[in-house]
């Protein structure tokens, strides 16, 4: 089964998505997501200039060899651009293989380990009372797990609090929006949020929270300790994890479960975090970490250390990533949870998909492959719209982590 063409499709049905479509001489095609929020064109160029030319003429069935060729063969390894390009190829090839065999992707991976995939949604409020109401709304929609983020008094444009009820889109302007951050105000506010949430909604719903890399290790430990009474499902991205060792300090001080990894691209970014059992959930996902082929390696490694998966699933990960992730989640033995930020109806129309939501679970569907397609004619109606992620500064003007 020979690859005869590969094309990059850029579309913006409310937000930008980069999709790779690979076609074969047997008429079977596959698609993969290559979206890198705010840096889309870098991946487009990488695919068009350096990847597609070496794909044409290869046997689409040789997924592993093509993965190794693109990873080792580049000499320049890893990084978000390279690994997204590899992910797009890899997912398209798994899609092709499963379609050619007439089976859903999860069957190819080893079959179902569960019937449905527990997901968490995003409840965001301008203040504590609003966030408590929003969490209630998600409970009513059937969610078993909910991420709660709230505006912070005195902090303009706090992370996670967006416009719109269901669709938080942080990449909001052609040049980065400047936001202001205060760790002391955040640390004073956040325990009050979770106290109010448990008072109102009890301990049944799983609650999650994302600190979005804003804290030092010691501040992270303080937050983790202060939230222990509210028994979070996880506390995410407390501190930048370039230095994996920094999680040792956090771990020594708190039993709040820790999640990290949405910006990681390979096993090497989380090897120490996993094997020292410094985290409980690894957040790497299909598009971020080289596709199904590499994510499977990360998950298998994590299983040895009882670390479970918690795939990133914000809206900048296209329905193609969501579809592939759901097949992966349906199979992976050490599954933890899947993030699910709904896409807009325009996005869902451009990417018809087999997955569906019911009672807090997502189901990948039974269509052959990963079950997600692209309507190219519709996609062409939504041209690329340059948007970048915000940046953050401390109150004195110092650049900080957004
Ligand atoms: O979904 C999350 O946990 C995020 O942190 C979302 C990120 O801010 C988003 O994917 C950035 O593009
Ligand atoms: Mg996050």
């Amino acid at each position: 089964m020979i690859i005869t063409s590969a094309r990059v499709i850029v579309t913006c049905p409310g937000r930008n998505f980069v999709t790779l479509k690979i076609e074969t001489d047997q008429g079977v095609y596959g698609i993969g997501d290559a979206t890198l929020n705010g840096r889309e064109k870098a991946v487009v160029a990488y695919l068009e200039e350096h990847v597609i030319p070496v794909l044409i003429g290869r046997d689409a069935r040789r997924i592993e060899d093509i993965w190794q060729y693109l990873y080792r063969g580049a000499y320049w390894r890893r990084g978000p651009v390279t690994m997204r390009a590899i992910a797009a190829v890899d997912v398209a090839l798994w899609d092709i293989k499963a379609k050619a065999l007439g089976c859903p992707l999860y069957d190819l991976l080893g079959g179902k380990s569960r019937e449905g995939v527990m997901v968490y949604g995003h409840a965001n409020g301008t203040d504590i009372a609003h966030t408590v109401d929003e969490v209630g709304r998600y409970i009513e929609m059937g969610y078993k797990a909910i991420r709660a983020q709230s505006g912070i008094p005195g902090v303009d444009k706090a992370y996670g609090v967006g416009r719109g009820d269901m669709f938080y889109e942080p990449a909001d302007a052609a040049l980065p929006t400047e936001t202001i951050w205060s760790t002391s105000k955040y640390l004073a506010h956040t325990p009050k949020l979770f106290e109010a949430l448990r008072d109102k909604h009890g301990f049944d719903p799983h609650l999650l929270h994302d600190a979005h890399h804003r804290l030092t290790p010691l501040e992270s430990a303080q937050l983790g300790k202060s939230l222990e009474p509210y028994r979070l499902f996880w506390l995410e991205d407390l501190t930048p994890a370039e230095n994996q060792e920094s999680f040792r300090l956090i771990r020594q001080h708190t039993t709040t479960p820790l999640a990290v990894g949405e910006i990681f691209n390979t096993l090497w970014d989380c090897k120490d975090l996993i094997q020292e059992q410094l985290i409980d959930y690894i957040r790497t996902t299909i598009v971020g970490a080289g596709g199904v082929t590499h994510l499977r390696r990360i998950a298998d490694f994590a299983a040895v250390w009882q670390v479970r998966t918690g795939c990133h699933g914000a809206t900048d990960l296209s329905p193609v990533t969501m579809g592939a992730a759901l097949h992966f989640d349906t199979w992976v033995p050490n599954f933890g949870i899947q993030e699910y930020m709904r896409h807009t109806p325009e996005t869902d129309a451009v990417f018809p998909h087999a997955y569906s939501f019911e009672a807090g679970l997502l189901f990948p569907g039974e269509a052959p492959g990963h079950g997600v397609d692209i309507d190219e004619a519709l996609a062409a109606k939504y041209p690329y719209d340059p948007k970048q992620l915000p940046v953050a500064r401390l109150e004195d003007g110092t650049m900080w982590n957004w």
Side-chain angles (χ1 to χ4, degrees):
M1 184 184 287
I2 299 303
I3 297 174
T4 50
S5 96
R7 284 180 293 118
V8 179
I9 302 158
V10 180
T11 182
C12 185
R15 67 160 357 280
N16 294 309
F17 294 110
V18 178
T19 307
L20 178 71
K21 181 166 185 174
I22 297 182
E23 290 165 313
T24 65
D25 62 350
Q26 296 186 19
V28 186
Y29 69 86
I31 60 173
D33 177 25
T35 309
L36 179 56
N37 203 3
R39 296 289 186 273
E40 295 86 3
K41 288 291 183 81
V43 192
V44 173
Y46 193 93
L47 280 166
E48 290 183 344
E49 301 295 326
H50 308 292
V51 173
I52 289 175
V54 303
L55 283 181
I56 309 302
R58 282 180 197 277
D59 184 344
R61 292 169 302 184
R62 297 184 61 173
I63 301 175
E64 184 68 50
D65 184 63
I66 290 176
W67 195 96
Q68 298 293 339
Y69 187 92
L70 295 175
Y71 181 80
R72 293 172 193 274
Y75 185 65
W76 313 107
R77 294 180 185 184
R78 305 164 63 187
V81 175
T82 302
M83 296 310 288
R84 268 174 174 74
I86 294 176
V89 174
D90 186 75
V91 169
L93 295 181
W94 279 102
D95 193 26
I96 288 171
K97 191 183 279 280
K99 280 175 173 169
L101 295 169
C103 66
L105 175 56
Y106 67 73
D107 259 344
L108 214 48
L109 295 173
K112 280 188 184 179
S113 298
R114 57 197 57 77
E115 295 307 319
V117 169
M118 182 169 74
V119 297
Y120 70 92
H122 285 213
N124 315 314
T126 47
D127 56 20
I128 290 179
H130 185 203
T131 311
V132 170
D133 287 350
E134 282 296 293
V135 167
R137 198 161 66 84
Y138 274 80
I139 293 169
E140 276 167 24
M141 285 188 279
Y143 283 82
K144 300 174 194 303
I146 302 145
R147 185 185 99 156
Q149 308 286 142
S150 151
I152 303 162
V155 175
D156 190 25
K157 303 190 187 84
Y159 166 76
V161 186
R163 311 143 292 157
D165 279 350
M166 301 296 289
F167 320 111
Y168 171 55
E169 290 297 350
D172 58 0
L175 293 176
T177 301
E178 298 235 345
T179 65
I180 299 296
W181 179 249
S182 162
T183 298
S184 57
K185 289 175 180 143
Y186 169 75
L187 289 179
H189 177 78
T190 305
K192 292 182 206 152
L193 168 67
F194 282 90
E195 184 182 15
L197 285 168
R198 287 305 189 201
D199 276 355
K200 175 74 183 179
H201 300 299
F203 281 79
D204 260 5
H206 295 302
L207 294 179
L208 300 82
H209 183 71
D210 189 348
H212 222 255
H213 324 272
R214 304 288 168 93
L215 310 181
T216 65
L218 190 67
E219 291 160 352
S220 305
Q222 289 168 346
L223 181 64
K225 264 182 110 157
S226 66
L227 294 180
E228 277 171 20
Y230 313 116
R231 301 210 302 267
L232 269 61
F233 185 92
W234 82 32
L235 192 49
E236 174 185 342
D237 283 350
L238 285 166
T239 197
E242 285 101 329
N243 181 6
Q244 298 180 46
E245 290 173 14
S246 62
F247 276 69
R248 282 192 201 134
L249 187 144
I250 307 171
R251 199 61 153 177
Q252 279 159 11
H253 290 285
T254 180
T255 56
T256 295
L258 304 177
V260 71
E262 67 185 37
I263 68 167
F264 296 169
N265 307 120
T266 70
L267 177 55
W268 305 104
D269 300 326
C270 47
K271 179 176 77 64
D272 300 343
L273 288 168
I274 290 172
Q275 69 184 3
E276 290 189 41
Q277 294 180 309
L278 301 179
I279 57 171
D280 301 281
Y281 297 92
I282 181 67
R283 297 262 298 134
T284 45
T285 192
I286 303 278
V287 66
V292 172
T293 297
H294 192 67
L295 191 63
R296 190 165 62 164
R297 285 207 170 103
I298 295 176
D300 280 343
F301 182 75
V304 174
W305 309 99
Q306 298 192 43
V307 172
R308 291 190 282 163
T309 64
C311 285
H312 186 203
T315 37
D316 46 296
L317 287 69
S318 95
V320 181
T321 284
M322 183 54 75
L326 291 172
H327 284 265
F328 181 85
D329 296 337
T330 297
W331 157 73
V332 70
N334 48 326
F335 172 71
I337 199 166
Q338 167 70 50
E339 182 179 15
Y340 177 43
M341 255 171 115
R342 289 169 193 239
H343 291 108
T344 60
E346 292 79 13
T347 296
D348 284 338
V350 169
F351 296 96
H353 51 259
Y355 61 80
S356 58
F357 175 86
E358 200 189 323
L361 308 178
L362 273 173
F363 299 85
E366 300 300 317
H370 55 49
V372 186
D373 208 341
I374 184 164
D375 180 334
E376 291 194 62
L378 194 54
K381 293 190 176 149
Y382 298 106
Y384 177 66
D385 181 17
K387 289 270 179 356
Q388 296 199 47
L389 287 168
V391 295
R393 290 185 187 274
L394 300 181
E395 288 166 305
D396 70 355
T398 307
M399 273 300 290
W400 200 242
N401 316 305
W402 176 75

